[in-house]
Amino acid sequence: MTAPHIYITTTIPYVNARPHLGFALELVQADVLARHHRRIGDRVRFQTGTDENALKNVLAAEAAGVGVQEFVDTNAAAFLGLAGPLSLSVDDVIRTSRDPRHRAGAERFWRACADAGDLYRKQYEGLYCVQCEQFYADAELAGGRCPEHDTVPQRISEENWFFRLSRYTDRLYELVESEALRIEPAGRRNEVLSFIAGGLEDFSVSRSSERARGWGLPVPGDPTQVIYVWWEALTNYVNALGYGTGGDDYERWWTGADRRVHLLGKGVLRFHAVYWPAMLLSAGEPLPTDLLVHDYLTVGGRKLSKSGGVTLDPAGLVERYGTDAVRWWLLREVPRVGDADFTPERLVDRADDELANGVGNLVHRVVTLIHRYRDGVVPEAEAATAEGLDEAIRRAPGLVADAVEDVDFRRATGAVRDVVDEANRFIESVRPWEIAKTGPRDHLDAVLVALIGACRAVGGLLEPFLPDAAGRVARQCSAVDGRLPAPAPPFRRLGATKG
């Protein structure tokens, strides 16, 4: 049997400023999915990239007094550079202003929709938010202001190309309602169904070259217009697979994949759950199978936003607190539904309590016991029975798999924490140091074997969530020349680094 093929993507962020922790959340969630599926034997392609052809990037470059290409190159490097600090297992990246695969694919996609009769020109006037790169109806504004950025949209009047979104209203509703296009969590699915049921209107898919300052991909056959940035950006998911340039990747990871999974924030749900599927239907291509939607990170109740000036530098947080602490906070603190407010104190408390005092203390205690009583040599004995611990270890892989499938990373990591708690309870209940004084040797051997087995299980379970820490735990629990390495805490305590 051929292993399932799973294609996992993040959104591609605008590079009008350096990355913030909100995008790191999406990267880490995608990385956990990719590592989990690889671990269970699936074939995985994990892709990310950067969205560089937006007017907001042009305006930011002008404000900075540098050329647009230089500006986007610098910021794109910062986004793609997160792979190291966050320990990401990315397979491929795509940059929309530099990668030849992108332009070729966007142009082919445009022509496919034109051939389907879904593109036409008309004069249009509307309210446009540059930060969203989106037109809004009056009813969608909050007191006349953009609901995402709290800015007053510009009134724009020009002739553009339009896409016949209205043609796909019934088909889109059917796909979402039947879950042929799965949207998680359910509240976001209901939001999309409500939007579609309200009636879909055709939308503008180009901008005048003049208003775009000449930046962007020209409309095929019409150099007076550039392709609307969202239109061409969404095609990145297929363009990186060679949709416009050829090769086997497109068939392997899109048309032939078992699952095509997009991770995205709630603010771009409409683009991914309505516009993008309609575009694919028009072009005659398969749709994504899963849209996994996360909410926002906030600081002091304010949404993290590059344009809004509320940011947290993920690379800086990693430099201060470490990769494991940052990843663990993103996975343990952020709920499946609802925003999460960040503070350094919460990050430190989570890391110290659950990593240093939980996992780290368990592994350090067990390895120390084996060195103290068996000179670092793991006994050759049958593990002692420990009902609560044995049950937690037995159930954990299934619980993790179910939780990851539900996109509930808090519950998934909670299953790992349960094993750690049961192992620490077992130590306190059997008290190996007392067995060493008065009990039979084989009893202590059995207890030590059970405990090192629990530590190894924890290391394996941690791998998708904290790959670096999982490696350290595995090394502590693996004999070299017959003996375990000298005990060394797998995590440092961060309490002194608060603030």
Side-chain angles (χ1 to χ4, degrees), residues 215-259:
W215 182 255
L217 302 185
V219 168
D222 185 355
T224 69
Q225 299 272 305
V226 297
I227 302 174
Y228 172 40
V229 65
W230 265 106
W231 170 280
E232 51 101 339
L234 286 165
T235 66
N236 93 88
Y237 299 124
V238 296
N239 296 344
L241 303 176
Y243 171 77
T245 53
D248 297 333
D249 282 345
Y250 185 67
E251 181 177 354
R252 180 181 299 115
W253 296 109
W254 194 263
T255 60
D258 297 271
R259 292 176 67 182

Side-chain angles (χ1 to χ4, degrees), residues 418 420-430:
D418 289 345
V420 175
D421 289 345
E422 287 293 343
N424 279 320
R425 277 193 283 271
F426 180 63
I427 292 176
E428 294 304 320
S429 67
V430 301

Side-chain angles (χ1 to χ4, degrees), residues 121-370:
R121 286 192 69 147
K122 78 168 186 176
Q123 186 72 28
Y124 182 75
E125 181 174 320
L127 295 169
Y128 191 74
C129 174
V130 174
Q131 299 303 330
C132 291
E133 295 282 4
Q134 176 182 350
F135 280 104
Y136 281 99
D138 287 320
E140 296 178 296
L141 301 176
R145 307 178 78 85
C146 169
E148 280 290 311
H149 297 97
D150 194 35
T151 55
V152 177
Q154 301 174 7
R155 183 161 291 279
I156 300 296
S157 177
E158 63 185 21
E159 186 173 332
N160 297 145
W161 287 91
F162 273 68
F163 174 72
R164 296 187 195 278
L165 180 65
S166 56
R167 175 180 285 182
Y168 298 98
T169 302
D170 293 342
R171 182 66 178 134
L172 287 172
Y173 193 93
E174 175 189 335
L175 288 165
V176 175
E177 185 180 44
S178 68
E179 298 196 65
L181 174 55
R182 173 188 175 225
I183 302 174
E184 289 289 344
R188 298 301 169 197
R189 171 177 169 270
N190 294 337
E191 179 183 332
V192 171
L193 288 173
S194 177
F195 179 74
I196 297 172
L200 298 181
E201 297 183 357
D202 298 352
F203 69 101
S204 170
V205 294
S206 73
R207 304 290 182 260
S208 70
S209 297
E210 180 181 3
R211 186 157 66 86
R213 311 286 211 277
W215 182 255
L217 302 185
V219 168
D222 185 355
T224 69
Q225 299 272 305
V226 297
I227 302 174
Y228 172 40
V229 65
W230 265 106
W231 170 280
E232 51 101 339
L234 286 165
T235 66
N236 93 88
Y237 299 124
V238 296
N239 296 344
L241 303 176
Y243 171 77
T245 53
D248 297 333
D249 282 345
Y250 185 67
E251 181 177 354
R252 180 181 299 115
W253 296 109
W254 194 263
T255 60
D258 297 271
R259 292 176 67 182
R260 297 171 290 275
V261 182
H262 294 333
L263 281 87
L264 56 136
K266 63 182 179 181
V268 295
L269 177 60
R270 183 185 308 179
F271 296 97
H272 288 80
V274 179
Y275 297 171
W276 175 227
M279 291 162 58
L280 288 162
L281 289 172
S282 175
E285 301 296 338
L287 272 59
T289 58
D290 303 78
L291 300 181
L292 309 181
V293 187
H294 61 83
D295 287 345
Y296 290 147
L297 297 185
T298 61
V299 176
R302 297 179 62 200
K303 171 196 165 190
L304 287 176
S305 168
K306 299 189 299 295
S307 55
V310 183
T311 63
L312 279 170
D313 174 20
L317 288 175
V318 168
E319 184 176 356
R320 184 172 179 81
Y321 301 109
T323 299
D324 297 321
V326 172
R327 283 181 66 116
W328 194 246
W329 186 88
L330 292 169
L331 297 168
R332 290 291 286 149
E333 283 278 338
V334 177
R336 182 169 183 255
V337 177
D339 297 342
D341 201 63
F342 176 87
T343 68
E345 290 77 15
R346 287 176 181 163
L347 182 148
V348 169
D349 288 346
R350 274 285 184 187
D352 282 354
D353 177 38
E354 297 185 344
L355 298 183
N357 297 337
V359 178
N361 187 50
L362 169 66
V363 173
H364 192 253
R365 289 175 82 184
V366 170
V367 174
T368 298
L369 288 168
I370 293 173

Side-chain angles (χ1 to χ4, degrees), residues 74-98:
T74 299
N75 283 341
F79 277 92
L80 302 181
L82 291 175
L86 294 175
S87 291
L88 305 176
S89 58
V90 175
D91 295 303
D92 192 18
V93 298
I94 187 165
R95 289 188 53 197
T96 61
S97 78
R98 287 286 195 186

